[in-house]
Amino acid sequence: MTLQQLKYVIEVARSRSINEAAQRLFISQPSLSNALKELEDEIGITIFSRTNKGTVITAEGTEFLGYARQVVEQAELLENRYTSTKSPQQHFSVSAQHYAFAVSAFVRLLQEYDREKYEFTLRETKTYEIIDDVKNLRSEIGILYLNDFNRNVIQKFLREGNLEFHVLFKATPHVFISSSNPLAKQEYVTLDDLYPYPYLSFEQGDYNSFYFSEEILSTLSRPKNIKVSDRATLFNLLIGVNGYTISTGVISQKLNSKDIIAVPLQVDERMDIGYITHKNVTNSTLATIYIQYLKESIVEELLQL
């Protein structure tokens, strides 16, 4: 077993394609396939299964990948400490629901990451895809919420994916509305107050179940409904059509316009906002730093409320 083979495994898991991984590694596809086959024969497990949908990591491969990442990371630390070799390109990925604090923490990570080369990914995406990304190691960290309504269903998917949920903070529901909305001056709003206004929510694609909704109270009937796929569009519509959406109340004044405000929603609901990780994978140094920045960003943004 060689360090190079471990790097090959990490890249194939990231790319989910031997051909694409070979291009990124600047080697031929047959050479990469042979190196992986030799490694699998040596350690006696199948790391990847080849399917019509691409290269999929096996359960045994997932556990092996966790160890491989630790070994490669430690080797890179040694190289950086004792040789003049330039640092290799670092990779780090996060998948999240549409939370400003997740972006704030990601921005801080980038600002303080002093390397010549890196490839970071922040995917604001659908709930099911967040779970799938962490399950299949496309992302180290996934950010979503649980509450009494969706908890059993989401936790079932987490158990099946061998994932863990870690609470960051507990939130009471707020509505995001334009500062010019007639409701903006109220101390709190009720569901009856919101009834005449367009309701904005994030579409969930093929998994458009109420349980995967980013917004609580997703089963309520509303006369005006607008689904969007990104946060910028949602914020524009909050202003443009006096719409509203339901979220945590944590909003970044640095990243978002002051034209958007959060007003408490008078309902008997609570949300556990947290992050998910894979049980078989030890957090990388970057993941550990990002989680700390998440916690700090949340505290800073809660103080603004």
Side-chain angles (χ1 to χ4, degrees):
M1 185 187 309
T2 68
L3 189 61
Q4 191 63 63
Q5 286 174 316
L6 299 185
K7 291 179 179 179
Y8 288 170
V9 170
I10 292 170
E11 187 55 53
V12 172
R14 181 182 298 118
S15 303
R16 300 185 73 196
S17 162
I18 291 180
N19 185 51
E20 183 179 334
Q23 293 176 18
R24 296 170 68 96
L25 292 164
F26 301 103
I27 62 174
S28 69
Q29 187 269 334
S31 296
L32 178 56
S33 294
N34 289 336
L36 293 174
K37 182 65 167 60
E38 289 173 4
L39 177 60
E40 289 177 326
D41 289 344
E42 178 183 349
I43 62 179
I45 68 170
T46 299
I47 302 174
F48 298 106
S49 17
R50 288 71 170 173
T51 70
N52 293 333
K53 295 182 179 180
T55 303
V56 179
I57 193 164
T58 64
E60 290 177 315
T62 298
E63 183 176 10
F64 179 82
L65 181 63
Y67 289 110
R69 279 181 167 155
Q70 293 179 61
V71 172
V72 170
E73 187 174 81
Q74 291 300 314
E76 290 171 353
L77 289 174
L78 284 172
E79 289 177 358
N80 295 340
R81 177 65 179 84
Y82 294 107
T83 74
S84 59
T85 305
K86 289 186 177 180
S87 300
Q89 186 179 43
Q90 295 290 299
H91 296 262
F92 178 64
S93 297
V94 175
S95 295
Q97 291 178 332
H98 299 76
Y99 297 126
F101 64 82
V103 181
S104 297
F106 200 79
V107 169
R108 182 173 173 187
L109 183 67
L110 288 168
Q111 289 173 338
E112 300 192 13
Y113 189 74
D114 186 20
R115 295 286 184 92
E116 292 182 359
K117 299 189 300 180
Y118 57 79
E119 183 175 317
F120 287 4
T121 303
L122 174 60
R123 299 185 67 217
E124 286 192 326
T125 188
K126 303 172 181 65
T127 303
Y128 178 84
E129 291 180 3
I130 294 168
I131 297 170
D132 194 58
D133 282 350
V134 181
K135 172 184 174 182
N136 291 298
L137 308 177
R138 289 188 293 275
S139 290
E140 277 195 72
I141 304 293
I143 302 171
L144 45 75
Y145 83 92
L146 299 179
N147 72 342
D148 290 343
F149 176 72
N150 72 2
R151 191 180 308 275
N152 289 339
V153 172
I154 297 297
Q155 286 188 331
K156 173 179 178 292
F157 279 84
L158 297 183
R159 286 193 300 271
E160 291 174 351
N162 209 17
L163 307 177
E164 291 182 297
F165 179 80
H166 312 266
V167 177
L168 285 166
F169 69 104
K170 295 180 181 293
T172 55
H174 286 63
V175 293
F176 286 170
I177 57 176
S178 165
S179 59
S180 62
N181 189 299
L183 301 176
K185 296 180 180 180
Q186 296 188 188
E187 183 178 348
Y188 61 85
V189 297
T190 67
L191 292 173
D192 288 340
D193 292 332
L194 296 170
Y195 189 80
Y197 297 93
Y199 169 64
L200 301 169
S201 60
F202 290 104
E203 59 95 14
Q204 296 295 325
D206 293 337
Y207 289 85
N208 201 28
S209 159
F210 292 128
Y211 297 108
F212 287 94
S213 173
E214 284 194 40
E215 303 80 21
I216 67 165
L217 305 173
S218 56
T219 59
L220 294 181
S221 176
R222 298 172 172 89
K224 302 174 184 178
N225 296 274
I226 303 172
K227 290 192 177 293
V228 300
S229 59
D230 67 89
R231 193 153 44 93
T233 299
L234 182 138
F235 279 7
N236 287 335
L237 288 171
L238 290 182
I239 297 170
V241 299
N242 257 348
Y244 74 94
T245 192
I246 301 176
S247 190
T248 63
V250 180
I251 187 167
S252 172
Q253 296 297 334
K254 293 180 181 178
L255 298 178
N256 299 311
S257 167
K258 293 183 179 180
D259 294 332
I260 304 297
I261 63 170
V263 180
L265 176 62
Q266 193 178 49
V267 290
D268 187 21
E269 297 281 345
R270 295 292 183 273
M271 305 163 67
D272 290 337
I273 318 299
Y275 65 93
I276 59 174
T277 57
H278 203 292
K279 289 182 179 180
N280 291 341
V281 178
T282 301
N283 289 343
S284 68
T285 301
L286 288 172
T288 301
I289 294 171
Y290 178 72
I291 291 167
Q292 181 59 35
Y293 288 169
L294 273 177
K295 295 175 181 178
E296 293 175 6
S297 295
I298 290 165
V299 170
E300 291 171 3
E301 292 169 13
L302 283 173
L303 290 175
Q304 296 175 11
L305 295 178

